[in-house]
PDB file of all heavy atoms in Angstrom:
ATOM      1  N   THR A  18      19.440 -17.801  50.985  1.00  0.00           N
ATOM      2  CA  THR A  18      18.653 -16.854  50.196  1.00  0.00           C
ATOM      3  C   THR A  18      18.863 -17.176  48.719  1.00  0.00           C
ATOM      4  O   THR A  18      19.727 -17.972  48.358  1.00  0.00           O
ATOM      5  CB  THR A  18      19.094 -15.413  50.501  1.00  0.00           C
ATOM      6  OG1 THR A  18      20.499 -15.304  50.278  1.00  0.00           O
ATOM      7  CG2 THR A  18      18.756 -15.025  51.916  1.00  0.00           C
ATOM      8  N   VAL A  22      24.080 -13.311  50.528  1.00  0.00           N
ATOM      9  CA  VAL A  22      23.924 -12.040  51.232  1.00  0.00           C
ATOM     10  C   VAL A  22      25.321 -11.511  51.558  1.00  0.00           C
ATOM     11  O   VAL A  22      26.153 -12.247  52.086  1.00  0.00           O
ATOM     12  CB  VAL A  22      23.123 -12.237  52.543  1.00  0.00           C
ATOM     13  CG1 VAL A  22      23.071 -10.963  53.345  1.00  0.00           C
ATOM     14  CG2 VAL A  22      21.732 -12.751  52.237  1.00  0.00           C
ATOM     15  N   ALA A  30      22.026  -6.245  59.705  1.00  0.00           N
ATOM     16  CA  ALA A  30      20.719  -6.787  60.104  1.00  0.00           C
ATOM     17  C   ALA A  30      20.748  -7.306  61.539  1.00  0.00           C
ATOM     18  O   ALA A  30      19.760  -7.184  62.267  1.00  0.00           O
ATOM     19  CB  ALA A  30      20.300  -7.898  59.150  1.00  0.00           C
ATOM     20  N   LEU A  33      20.693  -4.108  63.987  1.00  0.00           N
ATOM     21  CA  LEU A  33      19.503  -3.249  64.056  1.00  0.00           C
ATOM     22  C   LEU A  33      18.732  -3.369  65.369  1.00  0.00           C
ATOM     23  O   LEU A  33      18.421  -2.351  65.991  1.00  0.00           O
ATOM     24  CB  LEU A  33      18.581  -3.531  62.870  1.00  0.00           C
ATOM     25  CG  LEU A  33      18.715  -2.545  61.730  1.00  0.00           C
ATOM     26  CD1 LEU A  33      17.951  -3.013  60.517  1.00  0.00           C
ATOM     27  CD2 LEU A  33      18.276  -1.178  62.121  1.00  0.00           C
ATOM     28  N   ALA A  80      10.127  -5.047  67.299  1.00  0.00           N
ATOM     29  CA  ALA A  80       9.520  -5.957  66.323  1.00  0.00           C
ATOM     30  C   ALA A  80       9.903  -5.538  64.898  1.00  0.00           C
ATOM     31  O   ALA A  80      10.257  -6.390  64.069  1.00  0.00           O
ATOM     32  CB  ALA A  80       7.999  -5.979  66.487  1.00  0.00           C
ATOM     33  N   PHE A  81       9.841  -4.245  64.605  1.00  0.00           N
ATOM     34  CA  PHE A  81      10.223  -3.778  63.271  1.00  0.00           C
ATOM     35  C   PHE A  81      11.721  -3.963  63.025  1.00  0.00           C
ATOM     36  O   PHE A  81      12.125  -4.264  61.901  1.00  0.00           O
ATOM     37  CB  PHE A  81       9.811  -2.326  63.057  1.00  0.00           C
ATOM     38  CG  PHE A  81       8.343  -2.169  62.813  1.00  0.00           C
ATOM     39  CD1 PHE A  81       7.606  -1.256  63.540  1.00  0.00           C
ATOM     40  CD2 PHE A  81       7.689  -2.928  61.869  1.00  0.00           C
ATOM     41  CE1 PHE A  81       6.244  -1.106  63.323  1.00  0.00           C
ATOM     42  CE2 PHE A  81       6.326  -2.798  61.636  1.00  0.00           C
ATOM     43  CZ  PHE A  81       5.602  -1.883  62.367  1.00  0.00           C
ATOM     44  N   ALA A  82      12.527  -3.793  64.068  1.00  0.00           N
ATOM     45  CA  ALA A  82      13.963  -4.027  63.912  1.00  0.00           C
ATOM     46  C   ALA A  82      14.226  -5.499  63.584  1.00  0.00           C
ATOM     47  O   ALA A  82      15.048  -5.820  62.727  1.00  0.00           O
ATOM     48  CB  ALA A  82      14.709  -3.616  65.181  1.00  0.00           C
ATOM     49  N   LEU A  83      13.509  -6.393  64.254  1.00  0.00           N
ATOM     50  CA  LEU A  83      13.664  -7.819  63.963  1.00  0.00           C
ATOM     51  C   LEU A  83      13.095  -8.161  62.589  1.00  0.00           C
ATOM     52  O   LEU A  83      13.625  -9.027  61.894  1.00  0.00           O
ATOM     53  CB  LEU A  83      12.989  -8.652  65.056  1.00  0.00           C
ATOM     54  CG  LEU A  83      13.681  -8.610  66.416  1.00  0.00           C
ATOM     55  CD1 LEU A  83      12.811  -9.248  67.483  1.00  0.00           C
ATOM     56  CD2 LEU A  83      15.045  -9.281  66.354  1.00  0.00           C
ATOM     57  N   LEU A  84      12.029  -7.492  62.190  1.00  0.00           N
ATOM     58  CA  LEU A  84      11.439  -7.712  60.873  1.00  0.00           C
ATOM     59  C   LEU A  84      12.407  -7.341  59.759  1.00  0.00           C
ATOM     60  O   LEU A  84      12.379  -7.942  58.675  1.00  0.00           O
ATOM     61  CB  LEU A  84      10.138  -6.921  60.751  1.00  0.00           C
ATOM     62  CG  LEU A  84       9.264  -7.185  59.545  1.00  0.00           C
ATOM     63  CD1 LEU A  84       8.828  -8.649  59.504  1.00  0.00           C
ATOM     64  CD2 LEU A  84       8.038  -6.290  59.583  1.00  0.00           C
ATOM     65  N   CYS A  85      13.284  -6.401  60.015  1.00  0.00           N
ATOM     66  CA  CYS A  85      14.284  -6.016  59.009  1.00  0.00           C
ATOM     67  C   CYS A  85      15.243  -7.163  58.709  1.00  0.00           C
ATOM     68  O   CYS A  85      15.927  -7.146  57.681  1.00  0.00           O
ATOM     69  CB  CYS A  85      15.059  -4.785  59.479  1.00  0.00           C
ATOM     70  SG  CYS A  85      14.076  -3.279  59.377  1.00  0.00           S
ATOM     71  N   ARG A  86      15.287  -8.180  59.560  1.00  0.00           N
ATOM     72  CA  ARG A  86      16.111  -9.352  59.270  1.00  0.00           C
ATOM     73  C   ARG A  86      15.640 -10.045  57.994  1.00  0.00           C
ATOM     74  O   ARG A  86      16.393 -10.754  57.343  1.00  0.00           O
ATOM     75  CB  ARG A  86      16.083 -10.352  60.434  1.00  0.00           C
ATOM     76  CG  ARG A  86      16.663  -9.884  61.743  1.00  0.00           C
ATOM     77  CD  ARG A  86      18.164  -9.824  61.784  1.00  0.00           C
ATOM     78  NE  ARG A  86      18.861 -11.050  61.492  1.00  0.00           N
ATOM     79  CZ  ARG A  86      19.316 -11.917  62.369  1.00  0.00           C
ATOM     80  NH1 ARG A  86      19.103 -11.715  63.655  1.00  0.00           N
ATOM     81  NH2 ARG A  86      19.980 -12.983  61.994  1.00  0.00           N
ATOM     82  N   GLY A  87      14.363  -9.844  57.649  1.00  0.00           N
ATOM     83  CA  GLY A  87      13.843 -10.431  56.420  1.00  0.00           C
ATOM     84  C   GLY A  87      14.551  -9.926  55.181  1.00  0.00           C
ATOM     85  O   GLY A  87      14.484 -10.556  54.119  1.00  0.00           O
ATOM     86  N   LEU A  88      15.245  -8.798  55.284  1.00  0.00           N
ATOM     87  CA  LEU A  88      15.989  -8.270  54.148  1.00  0.00           C
ATOM     88  C   LEU A  88      17.235  -9.096  53.840  1.00  0.00           C
ATOM     89  O   LEU A  88      17.834  -8.946  52.775  1.00  0.00           O
ATOM     90  CB  LEU A  88      16.370  -6.805  54.401  1.00  0.00           C
ATOM     91  CG  LEU A  88      15.190  -5.832  54.468  1.00  0.00           C
ATOM     92  CD1 LEU A  88      15.641  -4.478  54.989  1.00  0.00           C
ATOM     93  CD2 LEU A  88      14.526  -5.695  53.112  1.00  0.00           C
ATOM     94  N   VAL A  89      17.623  -9.979  54.756  1.00  0.00           N
ATOM     95  CA  VAL A  89      18.788 -10.842  54.528  1.00  0.00           C
ATOM     96  C   VAL A  89      18.464 -12.318  54.742  1.00  0.00           C
ATOM     97  O   VAL A  89      19.355 -13.153  54.763  1.00  0.00           O
ATOM     98  CB  VAL A  89      19.979 -10.436  55.442  1.00  0.00           C
ATOM     99  CG1 VAL A  89      20.456  -9.035  55.127  1.00  0.00           C
ATOM    100  CG2 VAL A  89      19.628 -10.580  56.907  1.00  0.00           C
ATOM    101  N   ARG A  90      17.198 -12.646  54.907  1.00  0.00           N
ATOM    102  CA  ARG A  90      16.782 -14.020  55.177  1.00  0.00           C
ATOM    103  C   ARG A  90      15.873 -14.544  54.064  1.00  0.00           C
ATOM    104  O   ARG A  90      15.208 -13.770  53.384  1.00  0.00           O
ATOM    105  CB  ARG A  90      16.018 -14.103  56.505  1.00  0.00           C
ATOM    106  CG  ARG A  90      16.859 -13.795  57.706  1.00  0.00           C
ATOM    107  CD  ARG A  90      17.705 -15.023  58.020  1.00  0.00           C
ATOM    108  NE  ARG A  90      18.512 -14.804  59.182  1.00  0.00           N
ATOM    109  CZ  ARG A  90      19.784 -14.460  59.139  1.00  0.00           C
ATOM    110  NH1 ARG A  90      20.369 -14.285  58.002  1.00  0.00           N
ATOM    111  NH2 ARG A  90      20.475 -14.291  60.240  1.00  0.00           N
ATOM    112  N   PRO A  91      15.800 -15.860  53.930  1.00  0.00           N
ATOM    113  CA  PRO A  91      14.912 -16.436  52.910  1.00  0.00           C
ATOM    114  C   PRO A  91      13.446 -16.067  53.108  1.00  0.00           C
ATOM    115  O   PRO A  91      12.713 -15.922  52.136  1.00  0.00           O
ATOM    116  CB  PRO A  91      15.108 -17.950  53.069  1.00  0.00           C
ATOM    117  CG  PRO A  91      16.380 -18.121  53.792  1.00  0.00           C
ATOM    118  CD  PRO A  91      16.585 -16.883  54.616  1.00  0.00           C
ATOM    119  N   TRP A  92      13.008 -15.878  54.350  1.00  0.00           N
ATOM    120  CA  TRP A  92      11.604 -15.542  54.573  1.00  0.00           C
ATOM    121  C   TRP A  92      11.276 -14.124  54.124  1.00  0.00           C
ATOM    122  O   TRP A  92      10.106 -13.742  54.096  1.00  0.00           O
ATOM    123  CB  TRP A  92      11.172 -15.798  56.012  1.00  0.00           C
ATOM    124  CG  TRP A  92      12.034 -15.225  57.099  1.00  0.00           C
ATOM    125  CD1 TRP A  92      13.068 -15.836  57.731  1.00  0.00           C
ATOM    126  CD2 TRP A  92      11.917 -13.930  57.692  1.00  0.00           C
ATOM    127  NE1 TRP A  92      13.616 -14.998  58.672  1.00  0.00           N
ATOM    128  CE2 TRP A  92      12.922 -13.821  58.675  1.00  0.00           C
ATOM    129  CE3 TRP A  92      11.072 -12.842  57.488  1.00  0.00           C
ATOM    130  CZ2 TRP A  92      13.093 -12.680  59.444  1.00  0.00           C
ATOM    131  CZ3 TRP A  92      11.244 -11.716  58.265  1.00  0.00           C
ATOM    132  CH2 TRP A  92      12.245 -11.647  59.224  1.00  0.00           C
ATOM    133  N   GLY A  93      12.254 -13.358  53.692  1.00  0.00           N
ATOM    134  CA  GLY A  93      12.005 -12.061  53.085  1.00  0.00           C
ATOM    135  C   GLY A  93      11.938 -12.139  51.564  1.00  0.00           C
ATOM    136  O   GLY A  93      11.749 -11.136  50.891  1.00  0.00           O
ATOM    137  N   GLU A  94      12.100 -13.352  51.026  1.00  0.00           N
ATOM    138  CA  GLU A  94      12.085 -13.555  49.581  1.00  0.00           C
ATOM    139  C   GLU A  94      10.950 -14.461  49.110  1.00  0.00           C
ATOM    140  O   GLU A  94      10.605 -14.452  47.937  1.00  0.00           O
ATOM    141  CB  GLU A  94      13.423 -14.159  49.130  1.00  0.00           C
ATOM    142  CG  GLU A  94      14.600 -13.241  49.394  1.00  0.00           C
ATOM    143  CD  GLU A  94      15.923 -13.855  48.980  1.00  0.00           C
ATOM    144  OE1 GLU A  94      15.933 -15.017  48.513  1.00  0.00           O
ATOM    145  OE2 GLU A  94      16.941 -13.172  49.115  1.00  0.00           O
ATOM    146  N   THR A  95      10.388 -15.258  50.017  1.00  0.00           N
ATOM    147  CA  THR A  95       9.349 -16.218  49.657  1.00  0.00           C
ATOM    148  C   THR A  95       8.222 -16.153  50.678  1.00  0.00           C
ATOM    149  O   THR A  95       8.477 -16.120  51.883  1.00  0.00           O
ATOM    150  CB  THR A  95       9.930 -17.651  49.648  1.00  0.00           C
ATOM    151  OG1 THR A  95      11.093 -17.662  48.830  1.00  0.00           O
ATOM    152  CG2 THR A  95       8.934 -18.648  49.114  1.00  0.00           C
ATOM    153  N   ILE A 108       8.282 -13.569  46.667  1.00  0.00           N
ATOM    154  CA  ILE A 108       7.725 -12.253  46.990  1.00  0.00           C
ATOM    155  C   ILE A 108       8.220 -11.265  45.935  1.00  0.00           C
ATOM    156  O   ILE A 108       9.429 -11.185  45.689  1.00  0.00           O
ATOM    157  CB  ILE A 108       8.161 -11.787  48.388  1.00  0.00           C
ATOM    158  CG1 ILE A 108       7.610 -12.718  49.462  1.00  0.00           C
ATOM    159  CG2 ILE A 108       7.719 -10.354  48.653  1.00  0.00           C
ATOM    160  CD1 ILE A 108       8.102 -12.422  50.873  1.00  0.00           C
ATOM    161  N   VAL A 113       8.642  -5.559  49.141  1.00  0.00           N
ATOM    162  CA  VAL A 113       9.524  -5.419  50.301  1.00  0.00           C
ATOM    163  C   VAL A 113      10.310  -4.110  50.218  1.00  0.00           C
ATOM    164  O   VAL A 113      10.458  -3.401  51.211  1.00  0.00           O
ATOM    165  CB  VAL A 113      10.499  -6.620  50.381  1.00  0.00           C
ATOM    166  CG1 VAL A 113      11.508  -6.435  51.495  1.00  0.00           C
ATOM    167  CG2 VAL A 113       9.730  -7.919  50.552  1.00  0.00           C
ATOM    168  N   ALA A 117      10.345  -0.792  52.987  1.00  0.00           N
ATOM    169  CA  ALA A 117      11.647  -0.673  53.659  1.00  0.00           C
ATOM    170  C   ALA A 117      12.301   0.670  53.328  1.00  0.00           C
ATOM    171  O   ALA A 117      12.850   1.326  54.218  1.00  0.00           O
ATOM    172  CB  ALA A 117      12.551  -1.831  53.244  1.00  0.00           C
ATOM    173  N   LEU A 172      20.458  -1.803  54.030  1.00  0.00           N
ATOM    174  CA  LEU A 172      19.923  -3.163  53.876  1.00  0.00           C
ATOM    175  C   LEU A 172      18.971  -3.252  52.693  1.00  0.00           C
ATOM    176  O   LEU A 172      18.958  -4.249  51.963  1.00  0.00           O
ATOM    177  CB  LEU A 172      19.190  -3.602  55.147  1.00  0.00           C
ATOM    178  CG  LEU A 172      20.054  -4.012  56.321  1.00  0.00           C
ATOM    179  CD1 LEU A 172      19.185  -4.308  57.532  1.00  0.00           C
ATOM    180  CD2 LEU A 172      20.900  -5.211  55.964  1.00  0.00           C
ATOM    181  N   TYR A 176      19.315  -5.653  49.481  1.00  0.00           N
ATOM    182  CA  TYR A 176      18.193  -6.522  49.090  1.00  0.00           C
ATOM    183  C   TYR A 176      17.845  -6.273  47.621  1.00  0.00           C
ATOM    184  O   TYR A 176      17.669  -7.213  46.843  1.00  0.00           O
ATOM    185  CB  TYR A 176      16.995  -6.231  49.993  1.00  0.00           C
ATOM    186  CG  TYR A 176      15.776  -7.079  49.724  1.00  0.00           C
ATOM    187  CD1 TYR A 176      15.603  -8.296  50.359  1.00  0.00           C
ATOM    188  CD2 TYR A 176      14.781  -6.654  48.851  1.00  0.00           C
ATOM    189  CE1 TYR A 176      14.483  -9.069  50.142  1.00  0.00           C
ATOM    190  CE2 TYR A 176      13.659  -7.415  48.608  1.00  0.00           C
ATOM    191  CZ  TYR A 176      13.515  -8.625  49.261  1.00  0.00           C
ATOM    192  OH  TYR A 176      12.399  -9.383  49.029  1.00  0.00           O
ATOM    193  N   ARG A 179      20.479  -7.769  45.314  1.00  0.00           N
ATOM    194  CA  ARG A 179      20.380  -9.234  45.252  1.00  0.00           C
ATOM    195  C   ARG A 179      19.174  -9.692  44.460  1.00  0.00           C
ATOM    196  O   ARG A 179      19.228 -10.666  43.737  1.00  0.00           O
ATOM    197  CB  ARG A 179      20.265  -9.819  46.670  1.00  0.00           C
ATOM    198  CG  ARG A 179      21.540 -10.005  47.361  1.00  0.00           C
ATOM    199  CD  ARG A 179      21.445 -10.861  48.610  1.00  0.00           C
ATOM    200  NE  ARG A 179      20.149 -11.302  49.028  1.00  0.00           N
ATOM    201  CZ  ARG A 179      19.391 -10.710  49.945  1.00  0.00           C
ATOM    202  NH1 ARG A 179      19.805  -9.625  50.540  1.00  0.00           N
ATOM    203  NH2 ARG A 179      18.230 -11.209  50.281  1.00  0.00           N
ATOM    204  N   ARG A 180      18.062  -9.005  44.591  1.00  0.00           N
ATOM    205  CA  ARG A 180      16.817  -9.452  43.970  1.00  0.00           C
ATOM    206  C   ARG A 180      16.656  -8.963  42.538  1.00  0.00           C
ATOM    207  O   ARG A 180      15.870  -9.520  41.782  1.00  0.00           O
ATOM    208  CB  ARG A 180      15.617  -8.981  44.793  1.00  0.00           C
ATOM    209  CG  ARG A 180      15.544  -9.494  46.207  1.00  0.00           C
ATOM    210  CD  ARG A 180      15.318 -10.978  46.354  1.00  0.00           C
ATOM    211  NE  ARG A 180      14.199 -11.528  45.630  1.00  0.00           N
ATOM    212  CZ  ARG A 180      12.947 -11.549  46.049  1.00  0.00           C
ATOM    213  NH1 ARG A 180      12.645 -11.070  47.235  1.00  0.00           N
ATOM    214  NH2 ARG A 180      11.998 -12.078  45.311  1.00  0.00           N
TER     215      ARG A 180
END
Side-chain angles (χ1 to χ4, degrees):
T18 55
V22 174
L33 261 171
F81 284 129
L83 291 170
L84 189 60
C85 286
R86 296 285 303 264
L88 294 169
V89 297
R90 294 282 181 261
W92 50 268
E94 297 179 358
T95 308
I108 296 174
V113 175
L172 284 175
Y176 181 89
R179 277 193 356 264
R180 299 293 308 275

